[in-house]
Amino acid sequence: MVTRTDAPTRREQILKEAARLFAERGFHGVGVDEIGAAVGISGPGLYRHFAGKDAMLAELLVGISGQLLTGAKRRLAEADGEGAPSAVLDSLIEGHIDFALDDRPLITLHDRELDRLRDSDRKLVRQLQRQYVELWVEVLREVYPALPEPAARSAVHSVFGLLNSTPHLGRPGSLPGRGVTAVLLHRMARGAFEAAADAD
């Protein structure tokens, strides 16, 4: 993910707090007044930024799927054919680990609330996710050319399951430290891909 150095906009602040509250208490367990209070505005004031909670949820879930895909494409473009496939795979893993450690509420939100999206938004999320998976599959098969495409796709989904388990690792302060956790997750992801390649 791209690291921002400028202050978040009010809209971004609202989305961040909405994601946190939705993840903690569920979509229906949170009212607009509570989201507004979390960012220092009235509940009705939220409607200057969003049509309602449904719009916030859609922007959160469609938005993160789009950001992951855009970030992965950027990492590939930066390699521009000059980076070894293994280094490109490492870069993709690092990008997803950043997401898994920094956006844990969005993982919870996706798992619990995806079905609440309108059909069109849910289909868009799935489309973006499929593109993201296929990008990984292509890179993985460059690293392990003998790995059949179905096995590569299965391995990518398995690694996503591993990396996206971060909401179940305890509260952020209970982890051994971001750097240590990131290294551990990276090693486990590469180990899973090696195991998939060895299995075939």
Side-chain angles (χ1 to χ4, degrees), residues 91-125:
S91 181
L92 289 177
I93 294 171
E94 289 164 10
H96 199 97
I97 288 172
D98 285 344
F99 157 68
L101 292 176
D102 297 339
D103 294 308
R104 293 165 71 186
L106 289 176
I107 296 173
T108 300
L109 201 57
H110 179 277
D111 288 346
R112 291 182 186 165
E113 311 291 357
L114 181 64
D115 288 343
R116 298 194 190 282
L117 293 182
R118 293 179 308 173
D119 285 347
S120 59
D121 289 327
R122 190 168 56 252
K123 286 177 182 175
L124 180 55
V125 168

Side-chain angles (χ1 to χ4, degrees), residues 26-47:
F27 180 74
H28 287 304
V30 178
V32 293
D33 289 339
E34 295 165 274
I35 299 170
V39 295
I41 62 176
S42 68
L46 288 178
Y47 294 108

